[in-house]
Amino acid sequence: MIEITDLSVQFGGVRSLDEVTLTFPGGNCGLIGPNGAGKTTLFNVMSGFVTPVAGRIRIDDVDLLDIADYRRARWGVRRTFQTVQTIESLTVYENVRTVHEHAAEGSRAERQDSVDDVLAFVGLSDVRDKVVRTLSQRDRRFIEVARAIVGEPKVVLLDEPAAGLPEEETDHLAQIIRSVPERTGATVILVDHDMSLVQACCDWTAVLDFGRLVAAGPTADVLHDERVLAAYVGDEEA
Amino acid sequence: MVGRVFSHRAFQPTIAAGLMVFALFAMPSIFDATWIFNFTQMAIYSMVAASVGMLYGRVGLVSLGQVAPYGIGAWVTIRLAFATDIPYPILLAIGGGVAAIIGLLIGLPALRVSGLYLALVTLMLAVGVEVILFRLKFANGGPGFNGLALTMSDRAPVPRPAFAEGDIAYFRFVVIVACVIFMLAVAFLASKPGRAWASVHQSEPSALASGISVTRYKLMAFGLAAFMAGVAGGLYGAHVQWSIGVDQFNRQAALFLIAVVLMGGIGSLWGALLAAFFATILLPFLTQNVIGHQFWNDFALTIFGIGLMINLIQTTRAMDKKGLLE
Ligand SMILES: Nc1ncnc2c1ncn2[C@@H]1O[C@H](COP(=O)(O)OP(=O)(O)OP(=O)(O)O)[C@@H](O)[C@H]1O
Ligand SMILES: [Mg+2]
């Protein structure tokens, strides 16, 4: 359970998050909203890149904002980035291992096992020892997911992981995302503009618009909510 | 494990071993004393170049200040070589250690600034160290803290290790130390710190999100790089032996260093050897035989320009690859 209370973020004159109060119940949660709604900003607050002007985030009764940025991953907050940030000069294995050795406990042998497990889980075993620079954008998306779920994450933040993926790959990704909570025990927050992906993965979804919470609840209900439709239509007109 | 470390992409082990054997056993019989002296300088310089190349190429930190730990390593080692009987390898480690502490100080601003600003700050710190070294001067066998001889006749050469008094023996000693330093760098690059550096280099937010303490690993990089340069400085004193001045460690040397490092290439540690070859063999050869000493300054400046242009082209290409230019 992730409890967000009165969270506000200000960038100069822009209020990117405006007194957001919201509880992610656990499992797979969707977070949707038009461009500039504040989705990535919420992730950035949770990763420690952005300091909110007000509000707090509690996960398992711990105040997340009290933990130093690089320690959050160790504590269990992991993420992917909207523009992929894989380490181009390292192999696929090394990319995932780097996260594991800094963010997770474990001996050398356990490390190798769990990294290889994750690579098999996301379907990257074949390219395990390839340098990322030589791989496709599609592979990078899956490497990012592997980096976010290796070890024992408590919270996995996926920022548009399906962007740029062809349809059949999106289905494969949906399968992976669906089984992350069961596999790791983590709460997943999925941001994506692809509503069918959100629907396929998430039982529960929250909607942001202009930094404000518009709706939250079971995904099917939320997607038919008038206010949500209005937010998206408004976005198209703008 | 050892096999894995040395088979790192940064440095092909068989070529490196072959090169070392060639340097140790073939070069002394191929080249005359003058050339061996120059190649000794090249081996020393390659360590400094490797430290700069590692910082920039592997961690993305542009330091123009690596002449500072180089000079400090030289000062400390020379002073202790006159004053004590500490075995030379340990002296070098001490010189490198003191230099590493200075390196950490140079690294502190790197936690706040990057790119051009970091380059300027590190250059300013290097100038500060240059001024201090210029005031202190390098020990030459005299008494006191500085170890400066009062008269010409009291001056003594910087002592060399007993097992490497002659130029050829000293050359071999330098080659071996350089190999150890390169192996040290490769060991770091091929293990946890190296992966953390690669991550920091790629993207600091991503590194933080992976649990990497960016601060700690940047400082570690500066510390290691300064150690490498400091050990090189320690070898430099006993290489030249007489009347050591700051010209290896001043601001011109700092700019020249980054220029040849960029020309050699920062993608792999081999670039450091190439850079050292340019700096200590090719350019002196060209000045002596083709260009003439009176043009040295213009020439060095041109080299600097070429180095920067190469860097610009490389960066542009890299940005293009990442799709940052659209
Ligand atoms: N570092 C920043 N500096 C200034 N403004 C920012 C910064 N980060 C985000 N913003 C602004 O905050 C608002 C929310 O941005 P955010 O990136 O969170 O949106 P988003 O919901 O992720 O949108 P998208 O779907 O386009 O990724 C936008 O108006 C954006 O311009
Ligand atoms: Mg976003």
Side-chain angles (χ1 to χ4, degrees), chain A residues 81-86 88 137 140-142 144, chain B residues 202:
Chain A
F81 291 85
Q82 198 165 341
T83 46
V84 281
Q85 312 244 338
T86 43
E88 301 291 303
Q137 200 62 17
R140 288 188 179 78
R141 284 279 178 209
F142 284 92
E144 282 243 308
Chain B
Q202 185 75 45

Side-chain angles (χ1 to χ4, degrees), chain B residues 18 31 33 56 84 87 100 112 119 148 169 194 241 254:
Chain B
F31 296 103
Y56 193 12
T84 69
R112 296 247 157 240
L148 293 177
Q241 292 195 294

Side-chain angles (χ1 to χ4, degrees), chain A residues 35-36 38-41 82 159-160 191 193:
Chain A
N35 293 112
K39 306 177 297 289
T40 300
T41 302
Q82 198 165 341
D159 201 347
E160 304 193 23
V191 165
H193 289 291

